[in-house]
Amino acid sequence: MKRFLTVMMFVFVLFTAQLSADDNARLQIIHNSADPAAAVVDIYVNESLFQPNFEFRSATPFLDVPSGVTLNIGVAPGGSSGPGDIIATIPVSLEEEETYIAIANGVLDPNAFAANPDGVSTAFDLFIRKNAREEARWSSFVDFTAFHGSTDAPTVNINIRGSFFGPTINDLTYGEFSWYRTVWPKKYILDITPGNDNSTVVASFEADLSGLRGGAATVFASGFFDPSMNQGGPAFGLYVALADGTVIELPSEQKLAKIQIIHNAADPAASLVDIYINDVLTLPDFAFRTATPFLEVPAEVELNVGVAPAGSDGPEDIIASFPFTLANNQTYVAIANGVLNPGDFADNPDGISIGF
């Protein structure tokens, strides 16, 4: 019995030594290649299938992978029959007990897509961040890193409205990761601006981090700024990859204005009208000398306000249209006035047009 225990102890020591020699790294892979031809891919590691049918804007959880050896990460079309179908191979070597994020990004044929405005190569590649985090350094906060993965977008800043630890991620160029930011677990608005102009907001997104206390995440820019120049590929957006592989789309901030419309056109032919906004009937049978309450309408987009006779059958009955754009968070009054045919009415004494 004593000899048996001695042998077992020897085996245990050998086993422990083997484990120590084969310590792993931690790796999360995110698929962010917006090339329509790479919408679904198979990921191979050293010619063994690692992640079949890996969809665009999806991620693996953090996984143990071998360290200290070369890992040939191969990408093949989804549903591939084997490593012979691999179309791109990227060798990587990971350090023992280190944590990494690897983002598959770019396009298979850069000549078939819009060039990057900063002249950065947009060829398909694996962008790797060392010292990644699976959880926040402090349990009361949230840590996140940002990645610029939109091939046709220029260098950008990300302004974090209401952040206690600082407002901005500066000058993030395509293919770059930011340092980690630490924020309170609450709701934020992320404003995307050009790298050299914080005053011009090109897009805003709502990030609700209130349920991620103690966690870490990767915020990545995804898709094309101009899909029409990129084979009609997916449009630009911000996405968040969590440590467990969950990917969440950040909704665009809803930009609204308030407007009150007053009907003051005294032309008897317009005593009762239908009002359309962008071809949608909004105010049927709108009577002379009546007004709407203040209404919320989309801001910073063009609105076409159409006027049609009351009881109209649809937007094809519109007889006059007025395009305008409202500023975000502003309040307006719009008064419909004038006459439909100025030739049938007395002129204005000051020579001002009385057209509707």
Side-chain angles (χ1 to χ4, degrees):
M1 182 67 177
K2 184 176 180 181
R3 183 177 180 182
F4 174 76
L5 290 175
T6 301
V7 171
M8 291 302 295
M9 182 62 71
F10 178 72
V11 171
F12 176 77
V13 170
L14 285 178
F15 180 70
T16 304
Q18 182 66 31
L19 280 180
S20 177
D22 292 336
D23 281 344
N24 292 322
R26 298 281 285 171
L27 175 66
Q28 179 180 51
I29 301 176
I30 300 170
H31 179 353
N32 193 42
S33 170
D35 188 331
V40 180
V41 297
D42 290 345
I43 302 293
Y44 288 78
V45 176
N46 292 348
E47 298 193 344
S48 294
L49 185 60
F50 177 76
Q51 185 74 31
N53 298 319
F54 195 29
E55 295 183 357
F56 174 57
R57 290 173 177 163
S58 63
T60 69
F62 280 92
L63 301 168
D64 286 330
V65 294
S67 62
V69 296
T70 298
L71 301 177
N72 289 300
I73 298 179
V75 180
S80 61
S81 58
D85 294 335
I86 291 173
I87 56 177
T89 299
I90 302 151
V92 298
S93 181
L94 307 180
E95 295 180 17
E96 183 180 302
E97 297 183 354
E98 186 57 84
T99 303
Y100 297 86
I101 295 166
I103 299 185
N105 222 94
V107 294
L108 300 177
D109 181 5
N111 293 325
F113 293 85
N116 179 265
D118 296 312
V120 181
S121 171
T122 61
F124 185 88
D125 205 346
L126 204 61
F127 297 84
I128 298 178
R129 192 197 199 288
K130 186 180 174 182
N131 299 321
R133 299 178 190 174
E134 298 185 53
E135 57 186 26
R137 287 190 171 181
W138 297 287
S139 60
S140 294
F141 297 97
V142 177
D143 291 352
F144 74 90
T145 181
F147 176 76
H148 186 331
S150 180
T151 56
D152 67 333
T155 296
V156 297
N157 296 338
I158 302 177
N159 293 314
I160 312 165
R161 293 189 213 168
S163 169
F164 178 78
F165 291 98
T168 304
I169 292 172
N170 282 316
D171 297 332
L172 201 61
T173 300
Y174 171 69
E176 290 183 344
F177 285 91
S178 75
W179 68 95
Y180 271 92
R181 303 290 295 180
T182 298
V183 295
W184 295 104
K186 66 176 189 176
K187 294 181 180 180
Y188 296 93
I189 301 296
L190 305 183
D191 291 324
I192 309 298
T193 73
N196 58 355
D197 181 9
N198 271 336
S199 64
T200 302
V201 177
V202 297
S204 298
F205 298 88
E206 300 174 5
D208 185 356
L209 305 180
S210 56
L212 199 58
R213 181 184 297 270
T218 302
V219 177
F220 58 99
S222 179
F224 300 111
F225 255 24
D226 186 356
S228 68
M229 297 297 292
N230 291 280
Q231 299 186 23
F236 181 87
L238 279 190
Y239 290 76
V240 176
L242 305 183
D244 65 0
T246 301
V247 174
I248 301 167
E249 180 181 5
L250 296 185
S252 294
E253 181 192 21
Q254 191 173 16
K255 297 182 179 181
L256 298 171
K258 289 186 176 181
I259 189 168
Q260 179 183 53
I261 302 175
I262 301 171
H263 181 349
N264 193 44
D267 187 332
S271 61
L272 207 62
V273 295
D274 290 345
I275 301 294
Y276 290 78
I277 298 180
N278 289 353
D279 290 343
V280 175
L281 181 60
T282 305
L283 296 172
D285 299 327
F286 193 32
F288 174 55
R289 289 177 179 162
T290 62
T292 69
F294 280 91
L295 306 170
E296 284 191 331
V297 295
E300 299 188 14
V301 295
E302 187 173 81
L303 301 175
N304 281 294
V305 176
V307 180
S312 60
D313 294 324
E316 63 276 5
D317 292 337
I318 291 173
I319 56 177
S321 291
F322 306 93
F324 59 87
T325 301
L326 307 180
N328 189 36
N329 293 325
Q330 294 297 312
T331 303
Y332 299 84
V333 173
I335 300 181
N337 222 89
V339 295
L340 300 178
N341 186 4
D344 293 339
F345 294 84
D347 292 336
N348 178 268
D350 297 313
I352 299 173
S353 171
I354 60 172
F356 183 84

Coordinates of all heavy atoms in Angstrom, one line a residue, residues 205-235:
F205 N -24.8 57.2 -29.9 CA -25.4 55.9 -29.6 C -25.6 55.8 -28.1 O -24.9 56.4 -27.3 CB -24.4 54.8 -30.0 CG -24.2 54.7 -31.5 CD1 -23.2 55.5 -32.1 CD2 -25.0 54.0 -32.3 CE1 -22.9 55.5 -33.4 CE2 -24.7 53.9 -33.7 CZ -23.7 54.7 -34.2
E206 N -26.6 55.1 -27.7 CA -27.0 54.9 -26.3 C -26.3 53.7 -25.8 O -26.5 52.6 -26.3 CB -28.5 54.8 -26.1 CG -29.2 56.1 -26.6 CD -30.7 55.9 -26.6 OE1 -31.2 54.8 -26.1 OE2 -31.5 56.8 -27.0
A207 N -25.6 53.8 -24.7 CA -24.9 52.6 -24.1 C -25.4 52.5 -22.6 O -25.0 53.3 -21.8 CB -23.4 52.8 -24.1
D208 N -26.2 51.5 -22.4 CA -26.7 51.2 -21.0 C -25.8 50.2 -20.4 O -25.8 49.0 -20.6 CB -28.1 50.7 -21.1 CG -28.7 50.5 -19.7 OD1 -28.0 50.7 -18.7 OD2 -29.9 50.2 -19.7
L209 N -24.9 50.7 -19.5 CA -23.9 49.8 -18.8 C -24.4 49.5 -17.4 O -23.6 49.0 -16.6 CB -22.5 50.5 -18.8 CG -22.0 50.9 -20.2 CD1 -20.6 51.5 -20.0 CD2 -21.9 49.7 -21.1
S210 N -25.6 49.8 -17.1 CA -26.1 49.7 -15.7 C -26.1 48.3 -15.2 O -26.0 48.1 -14.0 CB -27.5 50.4 -15.5 OG -28.4 49.8 -16.4
G211 N -26.2 47.3 -16.1 CA -26.2 45.9 -15.6 C -24.9 45.2 -15.7 O -24.8 44.0 -15.6
L212 N -23.8 46.0 -16.0 CA -22.5 45.4 -16.2 C -21.5 45.7 -15.1 O -20.3 45.7 -15.3 CB -21.9 45.9 -17.6 CG -20.8 45.1 -18.2 CD1 -21.2 43.6 -18.5 CD2 -20.4 45.7 -19.5
R213 N -22.0 46.0 -13.9 CA -21.1 46.3 -12.8 C -20.1 45.2 -12.6 O -20.4 44.0 -12.5 CB -21.9 46.5 -11.5 CG -21.1 46.9 -10.3 CD -22.0 46.9 -9.0 NE -23.0 48.0 -9.2 CZ -22.8 49.2 -8.8 NH1 -21.6 49.6 -8.3 NH2 -23.8 50.1 -8.9
G214 N -18.8 45.6 -12.5 CA -17.7 44.6 -12.3 C -17.3 43.9 -13.6 O -16.4 43.1 -13.5
G215 N -17.9 44.2 -14.7 CA -17.6 43.6 -15.9 C -16.7 44.4 -16.8 O -16.4 45.6 -16.6
A216 N -16.3 43.8 -17.9 CA -15.5 44.4 -19.0 C -16.1 44.1 -20.3 O -16.7 43.1 -20.5 CB -14.0 44.0 -18.9
A217 N -15.8 45.0 -21.3 CA -16.4 44.8 -22.6 C -15.5 45.5 -23.7 O -14.7 46.3 -23.4 CB -17.8 45.5 -22.6
T218 N -15.8 45.1 -24.9 CA -15.2 45.7 -26.1 C -16.2 46.4 -26.9 O -17.2 45.8 -27.3 CB -14.5 44.6 -26.9 OG1 -13.5 43.9 -26.1 CG2 -13.8 45.3 -28.1
V219 N -16.1 47.7 -27.1 CA -17.0 48.5 -27.9 C -16.3 48.6 -29.3 O -15.2 49.0 -29.4 CB -17.2 49.9 -27.4 CG1 -18.1 50.7 -28.3 CG2 -17.9 49.8 -26.0
F220 N -17.0 48.1 -30.4 CA -16.3 48.1 -31.7 C -17.2 48.8 -32.7 O -18.4 48.5 -32.8 CB -15.9 46.7 -32.1 CG -16.9 45.7 -32.2 CD1 -17.5 45.3 -33.4 CD2 -17.3 45.0 -31.1 CE1 -18.5 44.3 -33.5 CE2 -18.3 44.0 -31.2 CZ -18.9 43.7 -32.4
A221 N -16.6 49.7 -33.5 CA -17.2 50.3 -34.6 C -17.3 49.3 -35.8 O -16.3 48.6 -36.0 CB -16.5 51.5 -35.1
S222 N -18.4 49.2 -36.4 CA -18.7 48.1 -37.3 C -19.4 48.6 -38.6 O -20.2 49.5 -38.5 CB -19.5 47.0 -36.6 OG -19.7 45.9 -37.5
G223 N -19.1 48.0 -39.7 CA -19.9 48.3 -40.9 C -19.3 49.5 -41.7 O -18.2 50.0 -41.3
F224 N -20.0 49.9 -42.7 CA -19.5 51.0 -43.6 C -20.2 52.3 -43.4 O -21.4 52.3 -43.2 CB -19.7 50.5 -45.0 CG -19.0 49.2 -45.4 CD1 -19.7 48.1 -45.7 CD2 -17.6 49.2 -45.5 CE1 -19.0 46.9 -46.0 CE2 -16.9 48.0 -45.8 CZ -17.6 46.9 -46.1
F225 N -19.4 53.4 -43.4 CA -20.0 54.7 -43.4 C -20.9 54.9 -44.6 O -21.9 55.6 -44.5 CB -19.0 55.8 -43.3 CG -18.8 56.4 -41.9 CD1 -19.2 55.7 -40.8 CD2 -18.3 57.7 -41.8 CE1 -19.1 56.3 -39.5 CE2 -18.1 58.2 -40.5 CZ -18.6 57.6 -39.4
D226 N -20.5 54.4 -45.7 CA -21.2 54.6 -47.0 C -21.4 53.2 -47.7 O -20.6 52.8 -48.5 CB -20.5 55.5 -47.9 CG -21.3 55.9 -49.2 OD1 -22.4 55.3 -49.4 OD2 -20.8 56.7 -50.0
P227 N -22.4 52.5 -47.3 CA -22.7 51.2 -47.9 C -22.7 51.2 -49.4 O -22.3 50.2 -50.1 CB -24.0 50.7 -47.3 CG -24.1 51.5 -46.0 CD -23.5 52.8 -46.3
S228 N -23.2 52.3 -50.0 CA -23.4 52.4 -51.5 C -22.0 52.3 -52.2 O -22.0 51.9 -53.4 CB -24.1 53.7 -51.9 OG -23.3 54.8 -51.6
M229 N -21.0 52.6 -51.5 CA -19.6 52.5 -52.1 C -18.9 51.2 -51.7 O -17.7 51.1 -52.0 CB -18.8 53.7 -51.7 CG -19.4 55.1 -52.2 SD -19.4 55.1 -54.0 CE -17.6 55.2 -54.4
N230 N -19.6 50.4 -51.0 CA -19.0 49.2 -50.4 C -19.9 47.9 -50.7 O -20.2 47.2 -49.7 CB -18.7 49.3 -49.0 CG -17.6 50.3 -48.7 OD1 -16.4 50.0 -48.8 ND2 -18.0 51.6 -48.4
Q231 N -20.3 47.7 -51.9 CA -21.1 46.6 -52.3 C -22.4 46.4 -51.5 O -22.9 45.3 -51.4 CB -20.3 45.3 -52.2 CG -19.0 45.3 -53.0 CD -18.3 43.9 -53.0 OE1 -18.9 42.9 -52.7 NE2 -17.0 43.9 -53.3
G232 N -22.9 47.6 -51.1 CA -24.2 47.5 -50.3 C -24.1 46.8 -49.0 O -25.0 46.2 -48.5
G233 N -22.9 46.7 -48.4 CA -22.6 46.0 -47.2 C -23.3 46.7 -46.0 O -24.0 47.7 -46.1
P234 N -23.2 46.1 -44.8 CA -23.9 46.6 -43.6 C -23.5 48.0 -43.2 O -22.3 48.4 -43.4 CB -23.6 45.6 -42.5 CG -22.3 44.9 -43.0 CD -22.4 44.9 -44.5
A235 N -24.4 48.8 -42.7 CA -24.2 50.2 -42.4 C -23.4 50.3 -41.1 O -23.4 49.4 -40.2 CB -25.5 51.0 -42.3

